[in-house]
Structures are given as structure tokens and as C-alpha cells.
Amino acid sequence: PHGDIVNMYETPDCDAVYGVSGSEFICGSDSAVFAYNYENETKKTLISPDKLNDKEIISVNTIENNIELITKELSDNSYSALIETNSEGDIIREYPVNNLQDCFVSDTKIYYIARKDELYKLYTISDGIQTETKISYPTENKIYYRLAVDENNRIVIYTSNEQGDSKLDFYDSDYSFIQSKS
């Protein structure tokens, strides 16, 4: 917020940045979440690793000093779950998901890409209800998906195949295709 440059290599236990709030940024490592104040270089643990056993953090959403997490169960089989928790690690809701690829949390919805039958599909969760959208991709040769949603609910999906070809697909808030860029 102040234009300061923060050297992430000097920030202890911070492998991923989940958000910024005032002079703190919310970061994490090994399934723990910290608030790191970069003005006075102090760190406080918001969620300890023991609260998130066998879970991988996908997204951290900070709303007015409340922290909500979306996590994924670490599992060797194709079943996983998106788990919404509070800062104490208590489960608020759990959503069953098969072969989760990526997830994005906006202020009003959770977006995620998961495999169903022979397709990877985009789903949303709003007010606790899971909905399948009309956006889908064949599973053949696709090895990597990433998802982002802007403030106007326009969707960007990054795909990459085994040959290293990658592209960005853009969709509007009604899940209609806009354009694709290599």
C-alpha cells in the first residue's frame, strides 16, 4: 500500500502470499497461515499446522479481520474435498469434489475446475450450492489448469498440454467464451 518493496526471501515461513491487509500480508507455509507486518517486521500465527492436518491450503479469504480458508484434502485417490474453515480450523462446510485441478475464491463465489467423466469442468459454489457451468475441457493431453476471476466475474483459464503448448481462455460472467490467446 505504501509502495514499499518487500523481500520475500527474508520473510520467514512464507512460501505463498494470500492477500494484503493494511501493513500486513497474509502468507503461508506447510499448511500454516501467518500475518506478517512488513513495517515492523513482526509475524503472528493465524492458523497453526495442527489445525490443518492432511489438508492443503488453496485459498485464503480475508473479510473484515475474519479469515476463511478453502483447503483440499490430501489423498492418494481421486476423491478430494473443498473444505471451508474458519481461522480456528473448524469446518464451516465441506464440498465433495473429484480430481480437483484449481480453485479461485471471489467475494461471492468459489470457482473450481474438477474432472467429471471424461471432461474437466468449471463449477461454482454460491450460498453453499454447487453448480456445474457450461465451461468444459477434454481430459486428453491436458496436464495443467489454472483459474482466475476478476472483479467483474470474468473468468480466465490457463491450460497447458504435454507438448508445452499453453493458452489463456477468456469467458464473461455468463460463462460465454470471449477469446483465446496462445
Side-chain angles (χ1 to χ4, degrees):
H2 306 292
D4 299 331
I5 296 174
V6 178
N7 186 346
M8 295 302 293
Y9 293 111
E10 295 176 1
T11 306
D13 300 319
C14 191
D15 295 334
V17 175
Y18 299 115
V20 177
S21 175
S23 60
E24 293 183 330
F25 57 88
I26 310 302
C27 61
S29 172
D30 297 325
S31 298
V33 178
F34 307 97
Y36 184 79
N37 186 310
Y38 54 83
E39 289 180 342
N40 59 21
E41 297 184 8
T42 59
K43 177 181 83 169
K44 65 182 174 188
T45 301
L46 300 175
I47 302 170
S48 62
D50 62 318
K51 296 284 187 182
L52 297 169
N53 286 339
D54 300 325
K55 294 177 181 68
E56 174 187 337
I57 295 171
I58 295 174
S59 176
V60 176
N61 197 11
T62 57
I63 303 170
E64 298 177 4
N65 297 327
N66 291 325
I67 296 175
E68 292 181 348
L69 297 181
I70 300 297
T71 62
K72 177 172 86 170
E73 284 183 336
L74 299 177
S75 174
D76 292 334
N77 61 26
S78 63
Y79 172 80
S80 60
L82 286 177
I83 302 168
E84 188 176 355
T85 64
N86 62 19
S87 60
E88 302 301 314
D90 301 321
I91 294 174
I92 298 169
R93 290 188 182 108
E94 183 174 345
Y95 307 100
V97 173
N98 286 319
N99 293 309
L100 179 68
Q101 291 294 304
D102 196 21
C103 175
F104 186 90
V105 180
S106 74
D107 289 339
T108 58
K109 287 184 183 177
I110 301 169
Y111 297 81
Y112 68 93
I113 297 174
R115 185 174 180 165
K116 181 178 179 184
D117 302 322
E118 296 302 315
L119 295 173
Y120 283 109
K121 296 188 173 197
L122 177 69
Y123 297 85
T124 63
I125 300 172
S126 181
D127 295 325
I129 299 171
Q130 290 175 274
T131 305
E132 181 180 310
T133 71
K134 59 186 175 183
I135 298 173
S136 65
Y137 293 88
T139 57
E140 61 211 36
N141 295 326
K142 298 291 182 191
I143 58 170
Y144 190 73
Y145 289 90
R146 286 294 174 249
L147 169 67
V149 180
D150 72 9
E151 64 276 359
N152 295 315
N153 293 322
R154 291 179 295 223
I155 301 159
V156 180
I157 298 176
Y158 169 81
T159 61
S160 179
N161 64 20
E162 294 169 334
Q163 292 76 32
D165 301 321
S166 59
K167 67 177 181 165
L168 293 172
D169 292 332
F170 297 86
Y171 298 88
D172 65 19
S173 60
D174 294 323
Y175 313 111
S176 296
F177 179 77
I178 298 173
Q179 69 177 332
S180 185
K181 296 278 186 181
S182 294

